[in-house]
Amino acid sequence: MTAWASAGNMTRAVSELGLTAVEQQRMLRNNNLITTSVMAEKDARAEEKADLDLKAADLRFKEIAADASKKAAKIAAAAAVVSLLGTVVNSTRPSGDSKKSGWADIVNGVGNVITKLLDISKANAELEAVEEDMKRLNIMRVGSDKAVQALNANPFI
């Protein structure tokens, strides 16, 4: 083999090696893009999960507060009923007593009882709204968990 033939073979080998290197670089860039996008998706899903967990904790505190509000409204309604009964009993005193309750006091007591019953209704509605939000959030959390599991199940990452 002549020196020129060896040089030609060497040139072809280097050229093929260069083409192989370029193709490998292209494949690495493509793999890097895929990996980067999948990892970005994983990070986004992890942030979404953390955000949904914080929202769930917040809703749980709201649920506890609404339940306490409902209990307080029931106690206030019972106190209003007892106060109304006291007013009615006081109105049956003999007419010469200066501290005797009149019809205005009884009507005021009835209004107070009605107000407290409406407060119970309001507390019930608030508790139902929080529970509905919690159910909606739990559905979102399940969807997010399934998406994270799908990303984690990919064997090529």
Side-chain angles (χ1 to χ4, degrees), residues 129-148:
V130 170
E131 288 173 349
E132 185 178 319
D133 288 344
M134 185 68 91
K135 287 176 187 175
R136 207 173 307 124
L137 183 66
N138 284 337
I139 291 170
M140 290 171 56
R141 289 172 78 185
V142 167
S144 179
D145 289 345
K146 285 182 180 178
V148 169

Side-chain angles (χ1 to χ4, degrees), residues 42-102:
K42 279 187 173 183
D43 290 344
R45 290 294 182 177
E47 287 178 22
E48 180 183 357
K49 182 179 179 348
D51 185 46
L52 290 174
D53 289 343
L54 288 175
K55 285 180 181 178
D58 183 47
L59 280 175
R60 180 66 183 132
F61 284 124
K62 284 183 180 180
E63 185 178 33
I64 291 169
D67 190 43
S69 176
K70 180 179 173 182
K71 288 177 184 174
K74 285 182 178 180
I75 292 170
V81 168
V82 170
S83 176
L84 176 62
L85 289 174
T87 302
V88 169
V89 168
N90 191 19
S91 69
T92 61
R93 285 183 172 183
S95 60
D97 195 351
S98 63
K99 293 185 181 181
K100 181 178 175 183
S101 298

Side-chain angles (χ1 to χ4, degrees), residues 2-136:
T2 64
W4 294 110
S6 294
N9 287 340
M10 180 68 174
T11 302
R12 276 190 298 281
V14 168
S15 176
E16 287 177 9
L17 181 64
L19 287 175
T20 303
V22 167
E23 184 62 30
Q24 285 178 340
Q25 289 173 354
R26 192 173 296 137
M27 286 174 51
L28 283 173
R29 275 196 303 271
N30 287 341
N31 288 344
N32 193 15
L33 287 172
I34 292 169
T35 303
T36 302
S37 64
V38 169
M39 292 309 290
E41 177 74 15
K42 279 187 173 183
D43 290 344
R45 290 294 182 177
E47 287 178 22
E48 180 183 357
K49 182 179 179 348
D51 185 46
L52 290 174
D53 289 343
L54 288 175
K55 285 180 181 178
D58 183 47
L59 280 175
R60 180 66 183 132
F61 284 124
K62 284 183 180 180
E63 185 178 33
I64 291 169
D67 190 43
S69 176
K70 180 179 173 182
K71 288 177 184 174
K74 285 182 178 180
I75 292 170
V81 168
V82 170
S83 176
L84 176 62
L85 289 174
T87 302
V88 169
V89 168
N90 191 19
S91 69
T92 61
R93 285 183 172 183
S95 60
D97 195 351
S98 63
K99 293 185 181 181
K100 181 178 175 183
S101 298
W103 284 105
D105 294 331
I106 293 173
V107 170
N108 189 22
V110 169
N112 193 17
V113 168
I114 292 171
T115 301
K116 299 307 178 189
L117 292 175
L118 290 174
D119 287 345
I120 291 173
S121 176
K122 177 183 163 192
N124 282 335
E126 182 180 356
L127 186 59
E128 288 173 6
V130 170
E131 288 173 349
E132 185 178 319
D133 288 344
M134 185 68 91
K135 287 176 187 175
R136 207 173 307 124

